[in-house]
Amino acid sequence: MESVNWLALVYGLVGGLGLFLYGMKMMSEGLQKSAGSSLRNILEKLTTNRVIGTFVGLVVTAVIQSSSATTVMVVGFVNAGLMNLVQALSVVLGANVGTTVTAQLIAFKIGKLALPAIGIGVFMRMFTSNKKYHYWGEVIIGFGLLFLGLKIMKDGFVPLRHSEFFQQAFITFSHHPVLAVAAGAVLTMVVQSSSATIGITVAMASTGLIDYYAACALVLGENIGTTITANLAAIGTNPTARRAAFGHFLINALGVCYMLFFLKFFMQAVDVLTPGDPNFVNASGNLPYIARHIANVHTGFNIVNLIIFVPVLHILARLCERMIPGKGNGRDDGLVFLDDCLIETPDFAVSQARKEVSRMSGLALEMLKLSRDAFFTRDTKTINKVYELENTVDLLEKDISTFLVRLNQEQISAETSRELNNILHVLHDLEKIGDYAENIVNYTEKLIESDIRFSDEAMQEMEEIYDVAIRFTDNVIKAYNAGGLPRAIDTEDENTIDKMRKQFKKHHLKRLQKGSCSVETGILFVDILNNLEKTGDQAFNIAQVVQGDM
């Protein structure tokens, strides 16, 4: 029995796994950057029924190469009320199938392309100016690192073939598949990537360290372990989101339970459909066909699971509701469309952030309209409503900004970064519009308390400038919320507001000189004019974002 160089073995396994994980991350992020903008609204718009939801989950996961990212997004959408539980579970089923694409890639004998891929990817990343080439360069680098890490891990496992301890340990897995399932689940929970643990399983099986049966049992366990990511992401979310995450675990756990009874028969069926003998050993002591068989068992299991559970998703949803009671809505922070779960998927997060800003813009515009009502009617209830909305707008501005700052620290594209900066600018402008509305109702309170009244001419002027300020703000907000490409927008109203402020101030000075208005009245009148003029300035800033000038 040859001695094992444990230091070299640990270096090889740790380094290989590190390269594999980093390659997976780089490939996934590159794919999200290059395809994310076209995938932004697919999950929420195309999940109207369980069959379409399943297909969407499969496609999105196959594109972004991360079932964890898809299921975490689903938890976020459910938490935001954009998906119901049955829709979420259908997407999860599709994601389970979509993630097996990685295992299928690993099974191809393309490890020799790892170094050329890294070279080509680095060239595209460093020596081209086109952003799309940069992103695809990252994808190709990730692809190369993934296979390089897999080769290093595979080579690292070779000495263990001569270790009696490991031979006995993995023979135990063959005789007790439940232990192999548990080991696969735990390993995936630790590594936080089912693709990585399947890569490890393929590496061990390809070197003959574990047999085909034990490898398949490990793969089943890895399907359970991968659900931990979504359940961790669901901590602190509402009950419906936690049910979606738990449903992911339940689907995979139940699938593994029934599959254990039929695993040998299922493996035989896969062997019939897959070329080559999985137990064939070549001259170098490796098993060249076993990787494809393991990948097909992984894919086949998730396809069978999908077929079995799609018709009974409503029953699974009710079971999740019973096991996790409570009302499915309600947020403590005021946010509706955003959730920390979305940080890992920047393009989807930006889409959701725009929706949150759209909601906030409606509140800011409502504050401006209510400030006019409060000024003309002197109604204290309307004044209090403005104060309530101001608290909500301030909270939204703080929470959305915090989220966007965190998002900006992720690996994002230049386009996404620009959009984040634009959203932050608009957030500030909307919050200031709310502040000016609050200032106006504060002045209105002073008018009521001191029983001060403006002249008919002053009231007419105030009505005119208010109409223009509200019209301009409304038009700009509608244009921004329409999204899409930069567009021309009529900003003449902003100039009109500036001219009105100057003209009406002069009129009021004349009234002061005539004695038809008091000094205190004049100060409050000018203060309100100034706040309306500043409101126009903030709306103009948003218009510049719409026009692409910022």
Side-chain angles (χ1 to χ4, degrees), residues 420-436:
L420 284 180
N421 289 329
N422 285 341
I423 293 173
L424 285 167
H425 279 298
V426 172
L427 271 177
H428 172 74
D429 292 322
L430 290 172
E431 194 271 335
K432 296 302 292 182
I433 289 172
D435 286 346
Y436 298 140

Side-chain angles (χ1 to χ4, degrees), residues 269-547:
V270 169
D271 292 346
V272 171
L273 299 172
T274 307
D277 180 1
N279 298 310
F280 171 77
V281 181
N282 62 18
S284 60
N286 292 323
L287 288 79
Y289 301 114
I290 197 169
R292 173 61 58 203
H293 287 255
I294 293 171
N296 287 349
V297 166
H298 182 37
T299 301
F301 162 68
N302 282 290
I303 290 173
V304 171
N305 228 24
L306 185 152
I307 293 168
I308 288 173
F309 285 114
V310 162
V312 295
L313 281 181
H314 60 290
I315 298 174
L316 276 174
R318 283 202 295 269
L319 181 59
C320 292
E321 287 167 357
R322 288 192 176 185
M323 298 188 76
I324 302 178
K327 293 184 178 179
N329 50 20
R331 296 284 298 272
D332 296 329
D333 54 7
L335 297 176
V336 171
F337 299 107
L338 286 179
D339 192 277
D340 287 345
C341 308
L342 301 174
I343 289 288
E344 295 295 324
T345 52
D347 284 296
F348 290 92
V350 168
S351 178
Q352 294 303 100
R354 283 192 65 104
K355 291 179 182 176
E356 205 72 75
V357 173
S358 176
R359 189 170 70 92
M360 178 177 163
S361 69
L363 298 177
L365 181 62
E366 185 181 357
M367 286 179 68
L368 184 60
K369 291 178 178 178
L370 287 173
S371 72
R372 177 179 62 180
D373 295 341
F375 174 79
F376 287 105
T377 64
R378 298 187 171 222
D379 180 34
T380 55
K381 288 184 179 179
T382 306
I383 291 172
N384 291 333
K385 179 63 176 174
V386 173
Y387 288 140
E388 289 173 13
L389 288 175
E390 166 64 7
N391 291 332
T392 303
V393 167
D394 283 350
L395 180 64
L396 284 173
E397 195 265 345
K398 173 179 170 292
D399 289 339
I400 298 170
S401 296
T402 300
F403 180 89
L404 294 179
V405 168
R406 285 184 59 200
L407 187 61
N408 213 15
Q409 295 168 352
E410 298 293 311
Q411 292 288 329
I412 57 175
S413 65
E415 180 186 350
T416 302
S417 181
R418 279 195 300 272
E419 190 160 4
L420 284 180
N421 289 329
N422 285 341
I423 293 173
L424 285 167
H425 279 298
V426 172
L427 271 177
H428 172 74
D429 292 322
L430 290 172
E431 194 271 335
K432 296 302 292 182
I433 289 172
D435 286 346
Y436 298 140
E438 182 188 30
N439 290 344
I440 291 171
V441 296
N442 188 262
Y443 299 140
T444 301
E445 278 191 308
K446 292 179 181 178
L447 291 171
I448 296 170
E449 289 168 4
S450 303
D451 196 24
I452 297 172
R453 295 190 179 272
F454 293 143
S455 64
D456 291 343
E457 183 183 355
M459 293 296 283
Q460 178 62 37
E461 290 172 345
M462 196 62 74
E463 191 169 345
E464 289 176 19
I465 192 170
Y466 242 123
D467 285 344
V468 179
I470 289 175
R471 180 179 68 213
F472 181 48
T473 305
D474 189 19
N475 289 339
V476 168
I477 285 174
K478 284 178 180 175
Y480 176 76
N481 290 336
L485 297 173
R487 71 196 69 188
I489 184 171
D490 186 5
T491 57
E492 185 56 36
D493 278 340
E494 198 268 338
N495 294 326
T496 303
I497 294 169
D498 289 346
K499 292 175 183 177
M500 282 182 166
R501 181 184 68 86
K502 293 175 183 177
Q503 184 181 7
F504 294 164
K505 280 179 72 174
K506 289 179 181 178
H507 291 173
H508 209 71
L509 284 173
K510 290 180 181 179
R511 288 194 291 271
L512 284 171
Q513 291 169 357
K514 292 178 182 178
S516 57
C517 286
S518 66
V519 173
E520 189 177 6
T521 305
I523 292 172
L524 289 172
F525 183 83
V526 171
D527 283 339
I528 294 174
L529 283 180
N530 288 340
N531 275 271
L532 288 172
E533 190 265 339
K534 290 175 182 176
T535 296
D537 290 343
Q538 304 302 147
F540 180 75
N541 290 343
I542 299 173
Q544 286 186 301
V545 172
V546 174
Q547 293 175 141

Side-chain angles (χ1 to χ4, degrees), residues 95-163:
N96 283 345
V97 177
T99 196
T100 65
V101 170
T102 308
Q104 294 293 339
L105 282 174
I106 291 171
F108 283 109
K109 305 301 178 185
I110 50 179
K112 293 179 181 178
L113 298 178
L115 291 177
I118 293 171
I120 293 169
V122 169
F123 180 85
M124 292 175 67
R125 182 68 182 83
M126 295 183 66
F127 302 110
T128 59
S129 56
N130 189 305
K131 289 293 181 184
K132 278 287 183 184
Y133 290 148
H134 283 192
Y135 304 148
W136 281 107
E138 291 177 10
V139 173
I140 295 170
I141 293 170
F143 174 85
L145 290 175
L146 185 153
F147 280 96
L148 182 61
L150 185 65
K151 183 181 184 303
I152 293 171
M153 280 195 293
K154 193 180 293 185
D155 292 342
F157 281 122
V158 170
L160 293 181
R161 286 190 298 202
H162 309 292
S163 169

Side-chain angles (χ1 to χ4, degrees), residues 230-303:
N231 279 277
L232 288 173
I235 295 172
T237 59
N238 65 41
T240 306
R242 294 201 300 276
R243 289 168 192 151
F246 178 73
H248 185 201
F249 164 77
L250 197 62
I251 286 169
N252 287 20
L254 290 174
V256 168
C257 287
Y258 74 71
M259 185 56 73
L260 275 175
F261 287 101
F262 306 105
L263 183 55
K264 288 187 176 179
F265 298 105
F266 185 68
M267 289 166 58
Q268 289 172 4
V270 169
D271 292 346
V272 171
L273 299 172
T274 307
D277 180 1
N279 298 310
F280 171 77
V281 181
N282 62 18
S284 60
N286 292 323
L287 288 79
Y289 301 114
I290 197 169
R292 173 61 58 203
H293 287 255
I294 293 171
N296 287 349
V297 166
H298 182 37
T299 301
F301 162 68
N302 282 290
I303 290 173

Side-chain angles (χ1 to χ4, degrees), residues 26-92:
M26 200 171 195
M27 190 166 71
S28 176
E29 287 177 352
L31 285 164
Q32 287 188 54
K33 288 176 190 175
S34 58
S37 57
S38 61
L39 294 173
R40 277 186 183 180
N41 299 314
I42 288 179
L43 273 177
E44 56 183 290
K45 288 184 177 178
L46 296 181
T47 52
T48 51
N49 66 57
R50 65 190 72 178
V51 176
I52 296 176
T54 301
F55 177 74
V56 168
L58 191 159
V59 171
V60 170
T61 305
V63 170
I64 67 175
Q65 283 293 287
S66 174
S67 63
S68 295
T70 304
T71 51
V72 164
M73 268 191 287
V74 166
V75 169
F77 288 154
V78 171
N79 195 45
L82 302 174
M83 277 186 190
N84 62 40
L85 190 53
V86 172
Q87 288 172 326
L89 294 177
S90 70
V91 174
V92 164

